[in-house]
Amino acid sequence: MQHSPAIHHTIVVVDIADYTNPVRTELHQAAMHNGLYGVLETAFNRAGVRWDACRREDRGDGVLILVPSEFSKTLVVDQLPNLLVAGLVRYNAVHAREALIQLRMAVHSGEVHHEAEGKVSTALNNTFRILDAEAAKSSLRETGGVLAMIVSDPFFQDVIAADPATGPGYFQQIPVAVKHTRAPAWLRVLGTVSDQTRVLPVFQESALQRLQNLIGTVAVPRLPLLLAQAAGHGVQPLRREADVWEAVEYLLDLNAEPGGFPRLMTFIELLADQLGDTAVGANLREWNDAQAQHLRQTTALARHRAAKRARSDVDQVLHLMIQIEHDGLDHDRFLISHWRQDVPGEWPPARGEAKMAGSGDLEAAVDEVILEAEEAWSEQHVEVALEFVLPRALLNLPVDRWHSEPRSRNPRPLSLDYPIVVRSLERMTARRWWRVWHAKWRVLLEDPAGARVYIASSADLDRPYSIDVRLKDPQVVSLMLTGPPPRDVQQHDELSTALRAGLPAIMWSRDERHTDALAELLAHLVQPGGLLDLPQRVHKVRQAALTASDRQTQADVIQNLVILWDNPLRTLYLDQPPRPARLEGDTADERERAS
């Protein structure tokens, strides 16, 4: 009998700890199963290991994942574990105790024969054996972590020990005595309570000493603002007489967001910009270049600099982004997440604590998020905008008609106080569409008066790919749809075409009867100077419509207008864990430092 040739893979096996515990019902197990796959797909893709390129086998309480050799083994043990932890923390934050997930993950590599009736591989057998190591199971129980990563000894020696950036010092050797296997393995438990407050040493001592020498006694007039922009949220005020090095030491005590950019490097970029074309500014940029190479963040640094060039010096608007999704098991319940920008120009902000709400309580639950943000912004003196990140099925949710304090005797329309737009969750998670999205946004930034809106017609719908061709025009950055987009993708779907073409602005009326009137209104809105400040212009028209009883037709048109306004420079870390909930006796500064 002829066997298939062996193929080399990085082998990953994950298993939900205590999956068959009697307290877990089938409903709990279904939630865990679905949640696990969502966490895995997001984490693998974010780590640079394409989920759809991996061969997978479902194991009920876990998954066997065979990673093709085209993906570096380092990717699997570098950012992937932290991304998995972030996804698990997010999942656990909104599910019942009986459905919470602790995960064991075994990593090995070797040859695998793919036979007609299954897979044959000694390396595969060994991976399952180290997954069952008792030391890993007990350590996960005792520490309360969310992820136990067990790595075979050969994999550890060849991949992790050889690369300091993968953190070999955080692993401990454990014995494996499962069936006929007697061998050492290496264990690291992530997501413990202590992990949430413990900061990993990212920068080498020699690099920090060089940085201190470069900074010297340089004076920076806007040091508190630079620190706030780099720290992201919950920044502790510096002493009045503090110098730049004190700001550096403070930032060293803050972890980067999972899969994110080190906060100190963000600060150094801001500091170099402040110093301009001086020798110190140039040396600071060189220092960042060296750290990016050491930490394998060269792509992230290039992306950070490109985004910085594309936007204005400081965007004097604070954004509150609210994501609403259907609960996976009950479509009458919704998961509400939010990201609150506390410092102008800061991005990305931290993800707030998630909450669940029924359909009848959704408006009030969103209002609670807005009121909490206003409490935090009480001493701010800038404009505020609301952005609702929605999946396709909820894009027609009338968020612009919602109210503040909706259950009081005096509810106040949100559109009276805030510019309101929706964002496409579909596009924010589809990185394959981002290149053209950024290109269209650059057109809008560089020539807002020349950027154009294409108004679709029923004739376009009768001719396949007619709209696709029209949107290829480099100056077309916006599309007005013929009507509200359907909840599901249709053949020659206008919305999908616009998203794939990278258009940052897409508009439609919830009421098809107002489509012609909406086209006339948009021509008026765009004419004064282009599209770039369209959300603010729509906001003013909505304010006027609240008192325009003698112009009811226009009021109906603006009330049914949906404006999808997608700035690619403000994307979100959707798998980011929320800030810890405040505990009694816990100070704000302590809580934010722990996040």
Side-chain angles (χ1 to χ4, degrees), residues 41 45 49-56 71:
E41 180 175 2
N45 286 333
V49 182
R50 284 194 3 255
W51 181 248
D52 59 4
C54 299
R55 300 191 182 191
R56 307 183 297 271
F71 297 102

Side-chain angles (χ1 to χ4, degrees), residues 353-369:
E353 191 173 358
K355 62 176 66 178
M356 299 292 294
S359 55
D361 300 320
L362 183 57
E363 183 177 355
V366 167
D367 183 51
E368 288 178 9
V369 173

Side-chain angles (χ1 to χ4, degrees), residues 196 353 578-582 591 594-595:
Q196 296 175 21
E353 191 173 358
R579 297 187 189 101
R582 183 171 184 174
R591 185 174 70 258
S595 67

Side-chain angles (χ1 to χ4, degrees), residues 9-32:
H9 292 283
T10 300
I11 303 168
V12 180
V13 182
V14 297
D15 180 81
I16 298 175
D18 206 22
Y19 182 77
T20 58
N21 190 310
V23 302
R24 305 190 198 271
T25 65
E26 289 185 2
L27 193 62
H28 293 135
Q29 290 177 340
M32 296 164 73

